[in-house]
């Protein structure tokens, strides 16, 4: 069989570091692939005025599956200042390449599993009866709509006249904002479409049915955000009734969910939400299983493009450490999600078992697992480096 081709998108900072480590694990687990590297990130913004060059989009379009590290984004003024002198003043504006990638390929389904590993000192615990300590197993999968909502980029400060007139046609706007000078108005729109909302809901229900989760929870705010959250809740009820009557459908408000997940996280299975609340919910659940060092994700389009990435960013403050200290597990787990997707079940399960074994044994732990401040000295103080953690995982493969 010919080797699979995977597009590797290192990006910036620790993104590039953890991607290399994940590929090392994939190789060691016997997954045979050719990696073609794509340009993305800050360097290409500065040099070319585009952090997501067309050649990278072409590469992904051709090979369909990508592993992505992380990128660095900076505020507009810094982005302008760091642009190559010959490109300055030529109308280039920075926008996040990962958001661009999601929109370009319509990667509208984002899946973020949050499952605790036994023995992870960062696992959520709570006080039980008689001062005992409970450590409930968290096994939640967040389905985040990935292209719409507050991330659609349809927003204005000092909106143009036609937009302002349209706003004025809404009675609530007239009652509450008509006195505000237009130049003092900032508006970000929260757009949900029926099609994309149905797709994320269907993906959530399908996943629950396939993997035996008992409930799907819509985590929005339909009592207040009546049109968009309301649409998701209405469609969820229809889908559940017509197609998945045996799966329980729950409705939690995002604010209340943030409280409940620290009381009874074991009661949740699949969570589904729009882009913004899905981002919040997945970070919050990730916090219960060890935080960003453990938070992996997958993103899918409807036509067979898939991008796998840790949910963390480029952590620039650690990027220049001589010995990298960051936890590679989120990236390695994301690579396992890629293996699941392309049907490579054996290496996926072997790698996951190796990660579980290393964590349960507790001999090799990165600084975050030791609750240390991220400094170069953590290695002298007993924390594993990024490479040491990867080596430990590789050593456990097939054991
Ligand atoms: P970040 O995720 O890069 O780092 C936040 C903190 O989380 C770090 O300081 C570190 O304490 C911890 N952390 C992150 N990854 C870790 C790992 N693998 N192991 C151990 N600890 C880890 O987020 P931050 O600082 O808000 O953003 C830094 C840059 O990354 C920004 O330019 C931002 O725009 C970008 N970013 C990119 C994302 C992406 O590529 N998808 C996502 C989030 C942020
Ligand atoms: Mg990322």
């Amino acid at each position: 069989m010919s080797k699979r081709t995977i597009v590797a998108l290192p990006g910036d900072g620790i993104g590039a570091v953890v991607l290399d480590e994940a590929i090392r694990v994939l190789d060691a687990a016997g997954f045979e692939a050719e990696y073609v590297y794509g340009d993305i990130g800050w360097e290409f913004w500065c040099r070319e005025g585009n952090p997501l060059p067309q050649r990278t989009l072409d590469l992904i379009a051709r090979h369909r599956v990508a592993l992505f590290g992380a990128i660095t984004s900076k505020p507009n003024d810094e982005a302008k200042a760091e642009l190559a002198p010959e490109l300055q003043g030529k109308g280039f504006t920075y926008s996040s390449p990962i958001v661009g990638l999601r929109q370009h390929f319509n990667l509208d389904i984002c899946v973020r599993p949050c499952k605790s590993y036994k023995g992870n000192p960062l696992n959520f615990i709570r006080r039980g009866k008689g001062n005992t300590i409970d450590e409930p197993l968290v096994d939640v999968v967040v389905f985040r709509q990935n292209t719409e909502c507050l991330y659609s980029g349809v927003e204005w400060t000092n909106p143009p006249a036609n937009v302002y007139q349209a706003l004025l046609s809404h009675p609530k706007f007239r009652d509450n904002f008509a006195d505000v000078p237009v130049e003092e108005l900032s508006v970000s729109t929260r757009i949900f479409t029926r099609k994309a909302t149905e797709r994320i809901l269907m993906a959530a229900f399908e996943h629950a049915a396939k993997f035996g989760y008992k409930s799907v929870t819509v985590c929005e705010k339909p009592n207040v955000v009546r049109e968009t959250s309301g649409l998701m809740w209405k469609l969820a009820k229809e889908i559940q009734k017509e197609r998945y009557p045996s799966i329980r459908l729950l409705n939690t408000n995002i604010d209340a969910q943030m409280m409940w997940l620290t009381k009874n996280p074991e009661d949740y299975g699949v969570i589904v939400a729009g882009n913004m609340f899905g981002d919040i919910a997945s970070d919050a659940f990730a916090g219960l299983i060890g935080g960003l060092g453990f938070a992996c994700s997958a993103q899918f389009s409807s036509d067979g493009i898939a991008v796998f990435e840790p949910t963390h960013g480029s952590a620039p403050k650690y990027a220049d450490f001589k010995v990298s200290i960051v936890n590679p597990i989120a990236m390695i787990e994301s690579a396992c999600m890629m293996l699941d997707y392309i049907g490579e079940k054996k290496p996926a399960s072997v790698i996951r078992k190796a990660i579980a074994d290393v964590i349960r044994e507790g001999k090799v732990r990165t600084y975050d697992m030791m609750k240390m401040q991220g400094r170069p000295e953590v290695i002298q103080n007993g924390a594993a480096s990024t490479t040491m953690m990867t080596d430990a995982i590789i050593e456990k493969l097939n054991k």
Side-chain angles (χ1 to χ4, degrees):
M1 213 179 84
S2 66
K3 274 191 188 174
R4 179 97 214 191
T5 303
I6 306 290
V7 180
L9 304 169
D12 301 306
I14 67 160
V17 175
V18 292
L19 180 64
D20 278 353
E21 298 296 74
I23 291 176
R24 216 150 62 77
V25 175
L26 289 168
D27 286 346
F31 173 60
E32 292 194 5
E34 186 192 341
Y35 297 92
V36 291
Y37 282 78
D39 297 336
I40 187 168
W42 198 249
E43 182 189 337
F44 303 97
W45 160 252
C46 297
R47 233 194 296 147
E48 303 174 25
N50 184 0
L52 179 60
Q54 183 61 42
R55 59 184 179 278
T56 305
L57 296 172
D58 294 343
L59 207 58
I60 299 169
R62 188 169 337 125
H63 300 294
R64 322 296 286 170
V65 177
L67 267 180
F68 168 55
I71 49 88
T72 296
S73 283
K74 298 185 190 179
N76 282 344
D77 49 343
E78 284 177 53
K80 278 213 174 85
E82 292 187 35
L83 200 54
E86 66 274 18
L87 299 179
Q88 299 219 0
K90 298 218 165 119
F92 291 99
T93 40
Y94 178 84
S95 65
S96 159
I98 180 62
V99 175
L101 198 62
R102 288 169 189 160
Q103 286 176 339
H104 181 85
F105 289 113
N106 196 21
L107 296 163
D108 65 331
I109 309 277
C110 176
V111 186
R112 295 182 165 181
C114 301
K115 187 170 180 181
S116 42
Y117 278 108
K118 283 214 169 74
N120 186 346
L122 302 176
N123 282 345
F124 170 76
I125 53 171
R126 72 182 161 221
R127 212 180 289 282
K129 276 188 190 149
N131 246 359
T132 53
I133 299 288
D134 281 348
E135 188 175 320
L137 175 80
V138 178
D139 182 3
V140 165
V141 188
V142 178
F143 280 74
R144 168 193 181 191
Q145 205 295 327
N146 215 26
T147 47
E148 302 189 337
C149 190
L150 288 172
Y151 289 68
S152 60
V154 183
E155 48 187 0
W156 303 266
T157 288
N158 189 8
N162 56 344
V163 174
Y164 187 65
Q165 286 309 317
L167 291 169
L168 275 174
S169 72
H170 197 294
K172 294 257 195 237
F173 188 88
R174 277 201 306 274
D175 290 349
N176 299 307
F177 301 103
D179 294 344
V180 180
V182 62
E183 61 279 7
E184 290 182 18
L185 269 181
S186 291
V187 179
S188 300
T189 58
R190 188 178 205 263
I191 300 174
F192 279 36
T193 63
R194 186 187 175 100
K195 187 174 167 196
T197 308
E198 266 172 359
R199 263 178 54 76
I200 193 73
L201 286 165
M202 282 300 295
F205 274 106
E206 270 166 29
H207 190 89
K210 188 167 171 197
F211 295 99
Y213 289 94
K214 296 198 169 45
S215 65
V216 167
T217 302
V218 174
C219 183
E220 279 282 325
K221 187 96 181 175
N223 55 330
V224 178
V225 192
R226 306 182 83 87
E227 300 304 327
T228 46
S229 294
L231 174 72
M232 183 170 274
W233 178 234
K234 174 177 162 285
L235 293 175
K237 282 189 290 188
E238 287 172 13
I239 291 170
Q240 189 262 353
K241 196 168 161 217
E242 283 163 25
R243 297 178 179 235
Y244 297 96
S246 61
I247 295 175
R248 225 175 132 206
L249 175 63
L250 305 169
N251 177 19
T252 60
N253 286 336
I254 177 72
D255 48 345
Q257 180 69 75
M258 293 301 98
M259 174 195 57
W260 284 327
L261 63 76
T262 62
K263 293 184 129 185
N264 55 342
E266 69 271 44
D267 291 351
Y268 297 97
V270 170
I271 301 272
V272 57
N275 210 338
M276 184 79 250
F277 294 162
D279 201 19
I280 294 170
S282 61
D283 268 20
F285 276 106
L288 306 178
I289 57 134
L292 289 173
F294 294 87
C296 55
S297 81
Q299 309 169 91
F300 305 105
S301 75
S302 60
D303 58 355
I305 303 257
V307 178
F308 301 85
E309 61 158 321
T311 63
H312 64 70
S314 61
K317 60 183 178 188
Y318 306 147
D320 297 328
F321 285 14
K322 232 165 142 188
V323 176
S324 172
I325 63 165
V326 297
N327 190 342
I329 290 178
M331 181 79 238
I332 298 170
E333 281 273 4
S334 305
C336 289
M337 294 183 84
M338 177 193 76
L339 293 174
D340 289 342
Y341 173 69
I342 58 182
E344 293 277 351
K345 293 206 168 58
K346 172 106 194 297
S349 72
V350 166
I351 296 170
R352 286 196 176 103
K353 182 176 176 300
I355 297 172
D357 288 349
V358 170
I359 295 174
R360 202 184 43 251
E361 247 179 44
K363 288 190 202 145
V364 180
R365 288 175 169 170
T366 42
Y367 83 95
D368 52 325
M369 299 175 75
M370 301 178 82
K371 300 174 189 163
M372 292 174 169
Q373 290 273 353
R375 301 218 172 87
E377 315 76 88
V378 297
I379 309 290
Q380 283 90 286
N381 296 333
S385 66
T386 310
T387 308
M388 285 157 78
M389 175 56 93
T390 311
D391 288 345
I393 293 167
I394 288 174
E395 206 187 298
K396 291 282 182 205
L397 292 170
N398 299 314
K399 270 204 184 147

